[in-house]
Amino acid sequence: SGCLINISIYYLFSEYFGFGINLCSVLAFLFAVTSNYIFNSSWTFLSKNHQGDLTFKDWLSYVAGNIQGLIINLLLLNFLVNIILLPSHILAQIAGIFSGMIFNFYFAKKFVFK
């Protein structure tokens, strides 16, 4: 769901509002990381120790853990668009999302919802 939210928000801000690729990617990240935190907290990592409570502290930890995914996303997005000259920045964003996804999941599993 996070990927769909990310791409949808990225597309909305880039195509309808004309924002640059980096701003679109960061805004899309904020929407997606928030929804992922809610779903992961309520479902994926629900356990005896973690009852699915949504706290600002856990959200901040989750966002902090996902920052490396955002950085990887932004690096790949800019590389594909500005260096490789990939004609579709949307495809570059999709590649960036998937490149950071593994790091994000690992951090959430090991540190936020341990």
Side-chain angles (χ1 to χ4, degrees), residues 10 13-14 18-25:
Y10 180 89
F13 282 110
S14 67
F19 293 170
I21 61 171
N22 292 314
L23 179 57
C24 291
S25 190

Side-chain angles (χ1 to χ4, degrees), residues 23-98:
L23 179 57
C24 291
S25 190
V26 170
L27 291 171
F29 165 81
L30 290 172
F31 278 88
V33 76
T34 299
S35 75
N36 285 346
Y37 167 71
I38 292 167
F39 288 133
N40 284 332
S41 184
S42 303
W43 181 58
T44 307
F45 297 111
L46 193 62
S47 68
K48 288 183 201 174
N49 298 331
H50 184 77
Q51 299 300 316
D53 299 329
L54 302 175
T55 68
F56 186 70
K57 180 183 175 189
D58 283 347
W59 178 81
L60 280 178
S61 294
Y62 191 78
V63 170
N66 284 271
I67 291 292
Q68 79 263 352
L70 174 62
I71 292 167
I72 291 166
N73 182 351
L74 288 169
L75 289 171
L76 186 57
L77 173 66
N78 281 279
F79 176 75
L80 292 173
V81 170
N82 297 319
I83 306 297
I84 301 296
L85 302 176
L86 187 70
S88 172
H89 64 96
I90 302 292
L91 289 178
Q93 174 67 1
I94 292 169
I97 290 168
F98 286 109

Side-chain angles (χ1 to χ4, degrees), residues 4-23:
L4 285 174
I5 290 169
N6 191 307
I7 291 300
S8 298
I9 296 297
Y10 180 89
Y11 181 83
L12 175 73
F13 282 110
S14 67
E15 299 301 315
Y16 289 98
F17 297 111
F19 293 170
I21 61 171
N22 292 314
L23 179 57

